[in-house]
Amino acid sequence: MKLFYSPGACSVGIHVILEELGKPYELGLVALKDGAQHKPDYMAINPKSKVPALLRDDGSLLTEFPVIAMWLAKSNPDAKLAPTDLEGETRCAEMLDYVCGTIHPQGFTRQFRTANFTPREEDFPKVVEQGKALAAKYFDVLEKTWAGDTWVLPSGYSVADAALFFVEYWATRRSGMTLPPRLDAHLKAMLARPAVQRALAQEGLPA
């Protein structure tokens, strides 16, 4: 398999999952800051011009974080990275969607790609402020509805934790935010996992 990633992007969550699996894989660097996602060579691989993207052993490409995460979990059942019962699998998918479909774009894309939300540079600070406020709101929702113990799902560690990790990491390492207690404990537990440490080191990111 080959993971197309950009250092510190949401693809770090898939990177963590691959490290958890312990199977051979390659990394394909797509430097978002340099606009590599829009260049012909990468667009020929992934016309969506985004990461993560996973080139599977059969030559087919998977895109979209929740899909890649669940495919890796379901195709490697021995790793136990997703619940096997319907309710558990549903809750796992629900968390993946909330992180990738709400917290990421509304809370953090506003902060990191502010120009996507307003053409007026004088409005940039307000958009960033709004992004931080929304991220804090979404984190508070998770804090109040936390159903697991150390990990976000009652069934234990899963790909949902790898997804939540990347927005927690952004919040504390890039946005200077303070996480609520359960999420702060979750981030610390994630940072203690060898798979997370390896993924961060490979991407040149601080733990």
Side-chain angles (χ1 to χ4, degrees):
M1 294 180 291
K2 185 172 185 177
L3 173 66
F4 293 95
Y5 82 106
S6 188
C10 62
S11 50
V12 71
I14 300 297
H15 196 168
V16 167
I17 295 169
L18 287 168
E19 280 295 323
E20 295 282 7
L21 293 177
K23 291 186 174 182
Y25 69 92
E26 299 176 13
L27 289 173
L29 175 63
V30 183
L32 299 184
K33 65 179 181 178
D34 299 329
Q37 70 273 30
H38 300 300
K39 294 180 179 177
D41 55 345
Y42 184 63
M43 289 186 68
I45 298 169
N46 181 12
K48 293 181 178 178
S49 297
K50 57 191 290 191
V51 295
L54 185 72
L55 188 65
R56 296 185 288 186
D57 291 339
D58 65 0
S60 62
L61 190 76
L62 279 185
T63 62
E64 308 303 332
F65 189 112
V67 173
I68 297 171
M70 287 303 290
W71 180 80
L72 286 171
K74 299 291 281 185
S75 60
N76 295 276
D78 291 347
K80 298 181 179 179
L81 291 179
T84 55
D85 63 294
L86 178 60
E87 178 65 14
E89 186 175 329
T90 301
R91 293 301 183 183
C92 185
E94 181 181 44
M95 180 60 64
L96 288 170
D97 190 66
Y98 190 57
V99 169
C100 299
T102 299
I103 301 176
H104 176 177
Q106 298 299 329
F108 290 97
T109 305
R110 288 179 186 274
Q111 298 181 55
F112 304 153
R113 296 187 178 275
T114 311
N116 291 356
F117 295 87
T118 177
R120 293 158 45 93
E121 288 191 25
E122 58 267 35
D123 291 335
F124 282 10
K126 292 181 180 178
V127 174
V128 171
E129 183 180 351
Q130 183 184 44
K132 286 188 176 183
L134 287 171
K137 174 184 174 181
Y138 303 143
F139 287 146
D140 188 55
V141 169
L142 291 180
E143 178 78 6
K144 291 177 178 177
T145 59
W146 195 270
D149 187 7
T150 300
W151 311 117
V152 70
L153 298 179
S155 54
Y157 184 77
S158 72
V159 293
D161 294 292
L164 181 57
F165 165 72
F166 81 75
V167 287
E168 292 172 334
Y169 188 86
W170 285 351
T172 56
R173 301 304 192 269
R174 296 178 63 180
S175 297
M177 298 176 64
T178 299
L179 296 171
R182 286 185 181 275
L183 276 73
D184 182 63
H186 178 266
L187 176 60
K188 289 183 171 65
M190 288 296 295
L191 290 170
R193 294 185 72 87
V196 174
Q197 295 170 4
R198 290 193 298 270
L200 291 177
Q202 288 168 24
E203 296 194 18
L205 301 171

